[in-house]
Amino acid sequence: MNLRSHLLQRLLGLEPPLTRDLVVRRDLRVPMADGIELLADRWVPRGREDDGLPVALIRTPYGRRGVQGGGSVRLLAERGFQVLVQSARGTFGSGGVFDPFRNERADGLSTLEWVVKQPWCAGSVVLVGASYMGFAQWAVADSLPPEVKAMIPMVTESALTLEFLRADGFSLETPFEWGVMVAGQERPFAVLRQIAQASRNRRALATLPLSGADQAALGHRSDYLQSIFAHDTDGLGSGVDERDDQLDHRHRVTGVSVPVSSIGGWYDIFLPGQLRDFRALQEAGRSARLTVGPWGHLSPHGTPIREAVEFGLAHARGEVPPEREPVRLFVMGGAGEKDGEWRDFGTWPPVGYAPRRFHLAADGVLGGEPGERAAHDTYRYDPADPTPAVGGVRMGRGAGRVANAELEARADVLTYTTPELEEDVEVAGEVGAEIWFRSSLAHADVFVRVCDVDARGRSYNVCDGLVSVTGADELRLVRVSLWPTAYRFRRGHRIRVQVSSGAFPRFARNTGSGEPHGTATVLLAADQEVHHGGGSPSAVVLPVRSE
């Protein structure tokens, strides 16, 4: 085992490997239904090439070397699997053209058909992978051959693109940065180029019109990014039609025939969809379990490898994995980012948590009851100086739990805070906000964030969400879905709610003009009102644990 693999194993807290001596058969040619061939590498312990070890199949657009699927191919192959890692169509030597998301069902089914016919496959296959690689699992979930024994989708969901392109909340940063990354990932020194690309991306995201951002970042037009920019110009755009069967596999979830173990993170970009998929599995009576930790998209630590071995390998061998409740959640809360504890539950959302309203009130107070008198607070939102995204749900750098002092000092952010808590307040489940809102313009966004303020007055984000509003120039109740969470606000801490009108560039800035995002060139500042008390009782709704 090389030094990098040894250090990775120690960092992830994994059990020692069964073997360190692996053989890699590279560039296996896998035929697709249309005659295109995709390349795959097979990792197997030396001397066991013909032993019919269970196959861990990973289908990826990111190349076949190094870390894959939320963990290392090597780490899986050292622990009882033979691993087949395949480059998606049009990437890293595979034939055809890479058209994101659109070919994973047909190519996945062709790959499975090929795998189960190989002499080294003895009839046990486990689908493994994170993000895009998890989406590739859902693409074939309702048509699995009997040789597939389990699925382990990580930080992913069955309709990967659609959450970003909601008509009422256009997520810009993630699809843009991902599109730029895959466009340049096969160039020499790609990793170093991506580091240097970061500042160029930031400038490009501020481009007007936004449809020119790919040119600013890449120096050329990208079909994928153009489809993203066009999503509210002609429906959802030519590349992201929500009716396209190749992009939205939600209808396949309950058709799965094998046990599923889903792994997510509280600050992951795909968490709401992943929880939706798991809930659908439970309601349909499928064999499924869920693990959610205090992670962002790129940091689930060693859990995926342990789950692949404990859950996937057990099912592949016809054994029963270690017993546990269907839902295992890390309940966050404490002095540090990783403080908290693992807790097991029977379902999602957990039983025993009831919605409790914390009402916005005058003088920045957050209280248990709405104020008797109607009042409102104001702020000015200027898309030329948009409220920035700070921490929270982001794909890479800067994600997760961060200090919010600088953000809360801005004039375009309102805050409402409880007195010091006299006892712990534990929340777990879906979080929402009901904000009575009015703008001087018809088009506006409402962003709501829940924070934990510790005994030293430091404010850290817990969960948040944004919704775009049309007809915002009339007072109306705006319902905002925040990211789900499990969090314990400690005695002596305070709960804080932020209200603003953006988190740029995580979400595209609302220009105020009503123009489509991709073609907007006019930026209009707006005066925003948040009403509370009386007949306009704005509140955040937390699922609080009952005694």
Side-chain angles (χ1 to χ4, degrees):
M1 180 172 61
N2 61 34
L3 177 61
R4 184 174 69 175
S5 179
H6 176 71
L7 293 174
L8 182 61
Q9 171 187 299
R10 293 287 300 274
L11 177 65
L12 298 179
L14 299 175
E15 293 294 324
L18 301 175
T19 181
R20 298 175 179 176
D21 190 7
L22 304 177
V23 174
V24 185
R25 306 299 184 194
R26 300 199 184 277
D27 297 337
L28 303 180
R29 295 186 173 274
V30 184
M32 299 295 103
D34 61 356
I36 291 293
E37 291 184 323
L38 308 188
L39 299 186
D41 295 345
R42 177 183 172 227
W43 294 60
V44 61
R46 187 178 300 276
R48 304 201 63 184
E49 292 93 329
D50 300 320
D51 286 358
L53 293 175
V55 178
L57 174 62
I58 301 172
R59 302 193 58 254
T60 173
Y62 306 124
R64 286 163 282 137
R65 306 295 189 266
V67 174
Q68 302 287 345
S72 171
V73 169
R74 170 177 285 277
L75 293 178
L76 291 175
E78 290 174 342
R79 286 165 172 77
F81 284 105
Q82 55 177 320
V83 183
L84 188 74
V85 54
Q86 180 190 63
S87 290
R89 178 180 293 250
T91 68
F92 293 90
S94 287
V97 177
F98 182 51
D99 189 1
F101 310 107
R102 288 185 174 277
N103 294 300
E104 303 317 325
R105 179 167 175 82
D107 289 352
L109 293 175
S110 293
T111 299
L112 285 170
E113 181 181 3
W114 179 86
V115 168
V116 300
K117 292 178 180 177
Q118 300 311 300
W120 40 262
C121 178
S124 290
V125 179
V126 176
L127 307 186
V128 183
S131 193
Y132 194 108
M133 294 161 273
F135 172 83
Q137 297 177 53
W138 286 122
V140 298
D142 62 344
S143 301
L144 298 173
E147 289 83 359
V148 176
K149 305 303 183 184
M151 285 174 43
I152 308 177
M154 314 164 191
V155 290
T156 193
E157 56 135 316
S158 58
L160 210 62
T161 300
L162 301 184
E163 168 64 27
F164 299 129
L165 305 177
R166 293 177 10 235
D168 64 348
F170 178 32
S171 297
L172 173 62
E173 182 179 56
T174 292
F176 178 82
E177 292 190 346
W178 184 83
V180 170
M181 180 194 73
V182 296
Q185 65 179 347
E186 297 190 51
R187 299 177 64 188
F189 309 108
V191 174
L192 293 177
R193 288 177 182 275
Q194 288 172 16
I195 296 172
Q197 182 74 40
S199 59
R200 193 173 183 177
N201 286 350
R202 288 194 293 271
R203 292 192 298 271
L205 287 168
T207 299
L208 288 178
L210 192 55
S211 59
D214 53 350
Q215 183 75 36
L218 295 169
H220 60 83
R221 289 172 67 85
S222 159
D223 291 342
Y224 171 75
L225 290 177
Q226 285 299 314
S227 73
I228 296 297
F229 301 144
H231 87 283
D232 59 353
T233 302
D234 51 358
L236 281 178
S238 58
V240 286
D241 188 336
E242 66 180 346
R243 296 175 300 278
D244 191 322
D245 190 53
Q246 303 309 313
L247 298 171
D248 183 359
H249 299 291
R250 286 175 290 186
H251 60 291
R252 305 191 193 284
V253 171
T254 57
V256 70
S257 57
V258 300
V260 177
S261 180
S262 297
I263 302 170
W266 293 125
Y267 295 105
D268 178 47
I269 53 181
F270 299 124
L271 180 63
Q274 186 161 30
L275 295 177
R276 177 204 65 229
D277 291 342
F278 174 77
R279 191 169 184 176
L281 288 170
Q282 278 210 317
E283 291 175 349
R286 301 294 185 264
S287 175
R289 69 188 200 182
L290 170 72
T291 304
V292 186
W295 311 307
H297 190 62
L298 302 179
S299 57
H301 302 283
T303 301
I305 300 298
R306 290 193 294 271
E307 194 69 1
V309 173
E310 293 180 3
F311 179 88
L313 198 56
H315 281 293
R317 292 170 172 168
E319 302 169 354
V320 178
E323 186 176 352
R324 50 160 270 195
E325 289 291 320
V327 177
R328 177 165 291 172
L329 308 178
F330 189 86
V331 181
M332 302 180 290
E337 181 177 0
K338 298 298 186 291
D339 286 348
E341 63 178 0
W342 287 102
R343 298 263 299 283
D344 286 352
F345 302 90
T347 63
W348 176 268
V351 174
Y353 294 80
R356 182 191 299 178
R357 283 170 169 74
F358 291 78
H359 288 90
L360 282 56
D363 301 319
V365 172
L366 188 65
E369 299 294 334
E372 294 183 1
R373 297 179 56 186
H376 69 270
D377 300 310
T378 63
Y379 62 95
R380 185 171 180 81
Y381 172 74
D382 186 355
D385 179 25
T387 316
V390 176
V393 179
R394 306 175 79 176
M395 186 167 66
R397 180 182 54 84
R401 179 180 186 268
V402 300
N404 277 238
E406 187 174 347
L407 176 63
E408 292 173 354
R410 288 180 60 103
D412 55 2
V413 178
L414 301 177
T415 61
Y416 302 86
T417 311
T418 67
E420 288 188 4
L421 300 175
E422 297 181 356
E423 59 185 15
D424 288 358
V425 175
E426 182 177 298
V427 304
E430 307 290 341
V431 180
E434 301 168 349
I435 305 298
W436 286 90
F437 179 84
R438 179 163 56 201
S439 174
S440 60
L441 299 175
H443 301 276
D445 288 350
V446 178
F447 178 81
V448 179
R449 167 171 280 186
V450 175
C451 294
D452 180 7
V453 182
D454 67 16
R456 296 173 58 183
R458 298 173 300 184
S459 177
Y460 294 96
N461 53 292
V462 175
C463 59
D464 51 44
L466 176 143
V467 67
S468 297
V469 183
T470 300
D473 50 348
E474 297 182 1
L475 180 63
R476 59 173 51 208
L477 176 61
V478 177
R479 300 184 187 275
V480 185
S481 295
L482 280 65
W483 241 239
T485 194
Y487 197 93
R488 182 182 294 115
F489 296 90
R490 303 285 185 176
R491 182 171 63 89
H493 286 211
R494 293 174 289 161
I495 301 173
R496 176 169 292 167
V497 171
Q498 299 175 12
V499 181
S500 63
S501 286
F504 179 79
R506 174 182 162 193
F507 294 98
R509 53 187 166 177
N510 195 312
T511 64
S513 66
E515 299 173 277
H517 289 293
T519 56
T521 57
V522 177
L523 301 178
L524 301 177
D527 295 312
Q528 322 287 52
E529 299 175 356
V530 173
H531 291 247
H532 44 75
S536 307
S538 292
V540 64
V541 185
L542 301 179
V544 176
R545 183 181 181 184
S546 305
E547 292 299 331

